[in-house]
Amino acid sequence: MRPQGELRIFLFHFCDWLLSRRNLVIAIDGPAASGKSTTARLVAEELGYLHVDTGAMYRAVTLKVLRTGLSPADAERIGSLLETTRVALRRDGPAIRVILDGEDVTAEIRDPAVTRAVSTVSRHRVVRQAMVREQRTMGAAGGIVLEGRDIGTVVFPDADVKFFMTAGIDARARRRRDELGARGDAPDIGQLAEEIRERDRLDSTREESPLKKAEDAIEIDTSDMTIDEQVRAVVARVKSVTEGTGA
Ligand code: CDP
Ligand code: CDP
């Protein structure tokens, strides 16, 4: 007879294998700096799934709007601009490169000017329709972790597992300050908190696909969690779904 420990290890790997074969759609939504991207990237890596950062797509369109000199509020002109705009996400090892009309704009889309304008650009129906179409195509075969603001509510309302990440404003402002600090910037934490609050407000009060928790999403408050704890919580829930326990 197989020793118990060995059997447990075998079952553990078997579940992992099953999971990688199941091709689930996993949705992660939440406000800025709640930990969506980091968690989605690591969960996708662990499950052998594709990771789609939908915020990066809205940021790339916003970068083009700013470069072209259009007003972020001008829905009509932005609609025309989209006809000649191509946003692609390219896998580069564990990272994702964001490609705008053939140019790698992974760094530029994180510029504060883009961050300030992105909520205005992404509230337009014409922008959302174009992005959602792309995202549905990417997720059609499953085996994917998508993160954003409207994944569980609009893009994939029938996603297999949905999460809604939150965190207190202080933790989120601190995270952004550390991120920008690593890029050589020294932003004021009070101003960062204000900008995050304003973006949350715009994202959750817009008419089209506002940021909100899907009724069947599992909420995770990451304020006092480590990144590893977040990833473990998500993977455990996904495994419980594939194993049919729903726990
Ligand atoms: O990383 P961070 O939380 O700062 O934001 P992001 O995920 O890069 O998203 C940037 C912006 O894109 C958000 O503030 C939203 O205005 C918009 N967005 C959206 O409208 N719908 C999504 N599914 C994802 C992002
Ligand atoms: O995608 P979203 O804007 O929701 O958040 P993120 O980009 O995943 O996380 C924002 C920053 O917070 C990243 O630099 C993460 O490494 C960091 N973070 C953290 O320090 N501790 C956590 N528990 C979660 C995220």
Side-chain angles (χ1 to χ4, degrees), residues 6-204:
E6 224 176 280
L7 181 63
R8 209 171 293 135
I9 291 169
F10 168 77
L11 280 175
F12 182 79
H13 287 297
F14 183 64
C15 287
D16 275 354
W17 178 80
L18 269 185
L19 200 55
S20 67
R21 310 279 304 175
R22 272 286 305 272
N23 290 337
L24 306 181
V25 172
I26 301 171
I28 304 182
D29 289 304
S34 54
K36 302 179 300 294
S37 293
T38 314
T39 307
R41 178 171 56 77
L42 293 168
V43 167
E45 205 176 300
E46 183 159 338
L47 303 182
Y49 278 21
L50 202 64
H51 165 210
V52 174
D53 176 352
T54 63
M57 299 171 71
Y58 289 94
R59 284 173 176 274
V61 171
T62 303
L63 178 66
K64 181 148 178 187
V65 167
L66 296 179
R67 280 179 173 179
T68 317
L70 295 185
S71 159
D74 191 338
E76 204 177 317
R77 289 218 171 88
I78 294 175
S80 308
L81 187 71
L82 282 174
E83 287 166 20
T84 55
T85 301
R86 183 84 190 95
V87 176
L89 302 177
R90 188 174 298 155
R91 225 168 157 162
D92 179 17
I96 291 181
R97 312 297 305 176
V98 184
I99 313 296
L100 172 65
D101 299 331
E103 177 192 348
D104 188 328
V105 293
T106 312
E108 286 87 340
I109 61 165
R110 304 286 157 198
D111 281 350
V114 173
T115 303
R116 280 192 295 272
V118 66
S119 291
T120 305
V121 171
S122 55
R123 72 166 190 237
H124 303 307
R125 175 178 293 184
V126 67
V127 175
R128 305 212 68 80
Q129 282 174 338
M131 296 298 108
V132 170
R133 201 169 40 239
E134 287 287 319
Q135 291 154 17
R136 287 190 178 142
T137 305
M138 287 189 251
I144 194 164
V145 186
L146 297 111
E147 40 109 358
R149 302 292 188 286
D150 60 342
I151 309 301
T153 50
V154 173
V155 185
F156 283 104
D158 297 327
D160 298 282
V161 205
K162 299 181 188 177
F163 297 93
F164 193 79
M165 295 199 146
T166 60
I169 188 72
D170 290 345
R172 295 193 287 138
R174 240 185 352 258
R175 290 172 186 173
R176 276 291 179 261
R177 183 200 53 198
D178 294 348
E179 246 176 14
L180 292 166
R183 287 177 42 155
D185 298 340
D188 175 69
I189 196 155
Q191 192 186 333
L192 276 180
E194 211 31 66
E195 284 177 9
I196 290 175
R197 265 202 204 96
E198 176 59 4
R199 196 143 58 91
D200 287 353
R201 189 186 67 75
L202 291 172
D203 289 345
S204 49

